[in-house]
Amino acid sequence: MNDENQQPPPQPLLSLRTVIVLLLGCLSAAAACALTVAAGGSTAEGVLAGGAGFAGAVLFFHTIIAP
C-alpha cells in the first residue's frame, strides 16, 4: 500500500477536559434530581432542580479544573 493514500487518524470531537466537566455536571444533575424527588418533590421539580444543578456544576468544574 502507498503511504500517500492513508489518512491521518481522526481528531476527537471533544477534549478530555470537556468530557470530564460535562460528565460531572450530569452526575450532579442526576443527584439533585434524585434527592429532590426522594424528599417528596414532584418529578417536574426534580427536573428543574437537576437543570439548575447541571448549570451550577458545569460552571464550578469549568472554573476549578485546569485547562
Side-chain angles (χ1 to χ4, degrees):
M1 290 192 133
N2 291 339
D3 288 333
E4 298 171 4
N5 294 336
Q6 292 183 359
Q7 297 177 350
Q11 297 296 318
L13 182 62
L14 299 172
S15 69
L16 181 60
R17 179 179 179 270
T18 303
V19 171
I20 291 173
V21 168
L22 291 177
L23 176 65
L24 290 172
C26 288
L27 292 174
S28 298
C33 181
L35 289 173
T36 301
V37 173
S42 67
T43 305
E45 290 172 337
V47 170
L48 288 174
F54 176 80
V58 167
L59 288 173
F60 175 72
F61 291 119
H62 174 68
T63 302
I64 66 166
I65 297 176

